[in-house]
Amino acid sequence: MARKPLISGNWKMNLNHFEAIQNVQKLHYLIHKEVFDDVDVSIHPPFTDIRSIQTLVESEELEFALGAQHCHSEDTGAFTGEVSPAFLAKLNTEYVICGHSERREIFGETDEIVNAKVLAILKHAMTPILCCGETLDEREAGGTEDKVLGQIAAGLAGVSNEQIASMVIAYEPIWAIGTGKTATSEDAQTVCAAIRTKIRDMADDVTADAVRIQYGGSVKAGNAAELMSQPDIDGALVGGASLKPDFVELVRNGAG
Ligand code: PEP
């Protein structure tokens, strides 16, 4: 089954709203319109930029999808500093990253917290990008699949097959994030295929064939096409390179 690939630019805590507007305008000018026939592209700026980018994307009818980098699982309440999924939905946010390794490692997000966020994002008709991935120690100990498939099972608890089919999973080996080290396309394909098989077991063929699986971890213009040509890799979650001019070529190369 043909799955339209999704390339997502995770800006992390970079670019204020003025810089963000300029960056999105420049990117859109440089990525030719036809490219969007072959690939979806989501932009995940910091929260303070989202309203500005929403206004720009909607007023100029840009093809970019608006994304967020995370959210809380509750709609409202005494959660100082947190961001409501209901408020993100109100800004027409389409994709929300959840369970990014930086959130898990720096901010202590457990599988249970990530699962609650997945359910909350879906409740508001947005698409979760559920991240999973192993550390270098886990990989060297042969524990990659145990770790990754465990995160998938926990993250998808209580999610219906139809909802899983609409989701995006991002396989991001932690040792490859921001390090310049990328998994070989064969290794990335092996893990992404195992994720799809896990979903086939948890749900059914239709669901497994529909869910999009991204690879993330030092993706750049030079390796995007090879990674995305793998049968079970349907796009890329891109950090560092999404802030550079390289992102234009990365998107073009990824579109094939
Ligand atoms: C990320 O932030 O999800 C990521 C993959 O970062 P980078 O592309 O810089 O490795």
Side-chain angles (χ1 to χ4, degrees), residues 10 12 100 102 172 176-178 216-219 237-240:
N10 173 15
K12 311 194 186 197
H100 191 282
E102 286 156 18
E172 297 209 298
I177 297 180
S218 298
V219 177
L237 180 51
V238 185

Side-chain angles (χ1 to χ4, degrees), residues 18-241:
F18 290 120
E19 296 164 333
I21 289 170
Q22 281 180 341
N23 197 39
V24 169
Q25 281 170 325
K26 195 166 64 190
L27 284 176
H28 197 266
Y29 175 74
L30 293 170
I31 301 174
H32 299 142
K33 261 189 170 319
E34 315 78 70
V35 171
F36 294 99
D37 293 339
D38 299 319
V39 68
D40 290 332
V41 181
S42 62
I43 301 285
H44 301 251
F47 287 126
T48 49
D49 302 355
I50 287 184
R51 174 68 174 143
S52 307
I53 301 297
Q54 180 213 5
T55 307
L56 174 67
V57 164
E58 290 180 3
S59 63
E60 299 196 13
E61 297 181 13
L62 308 185
E63 281 83 357
F64 292 127
L66 186 59
Q69 297 175 16
H70 93 113
C71 66
H72 198 270
S73 52
E74 296 295 326
D75 287 356
T76 55
F79 303 105
T80 302
E82 276 297 336
V83 173
S84 158
F87 302 169
L88 288 176
K90 201 80 183 156
L91 292 168
N92 294 340
T93 303
E94 286 186 51
Y95 295 93
V96 186
I97 298 171
C98 55
H100 191 282
S101 61
E102 286 156 18
R103 299 294 317 173
R104 292 179 190 261
E105 294 202 327
I106 306 171
F107 301 101
E109 288 190 10
T110 61
D111 279 337
E112 291 68 34
I113 292 173
V114 172
N115 175 239
K117 291 182 183 199
V118 167
L119 293 167
I121 294 161
L122 288 164
K123 184 179 97 178
H124 290 288
M126 299 181 290
T127 302
I129 299 180
L130 170 61
C131 301
C132 56
E134 81 286 4
T135 63
L136 190 55
D137 283 352
E138 288 162 345
R139 166 162 285 242
E140 286 174 350
T144 299
E145 289 195 9
D146 273 359
K147 170 77 179 293
V148 167
L149 303 185
Q151 287 177 323
I152 295 297
L156 295 179
V159 182
S160 72
N161 292 358
E162 200 185 331
Q163 287 173 321
I164 296 174
S166 73
M167 282 181 56
V168 179
I169 308 284
Y171 167 54
E172 297 209 298
I174 297 170
W175 49 270
I177 297 180
T179 58
K181 292 182 195 146
T182 316
T184 63
S185 50
E186 292 78 17
D187 281 352
Q189 161 60 22
T190 301
V191 180
C192 291
I195 293 171
R196 201 176 302 283
T197 301
K198 175 78 182 172
I199 291 174
R200 205 174 294 285
D201 294 345
M202 288 173 65
D204 54 27
D205 286 344
V206 175
T207 307
D209 291 337
V211 66
R212 292 192 284 185
I213 305 178
Q214 297 175 314
Y215 167 80
S218 298
V219 177
K220 27 190 184 299
N223 58 22
E226 194 189 334
L227 285 159
M228 287 177 54
S229 68
Q230 300 300 312
D232 288 296
I233 302 182
D234 312 309
L237 180 51
V238 185

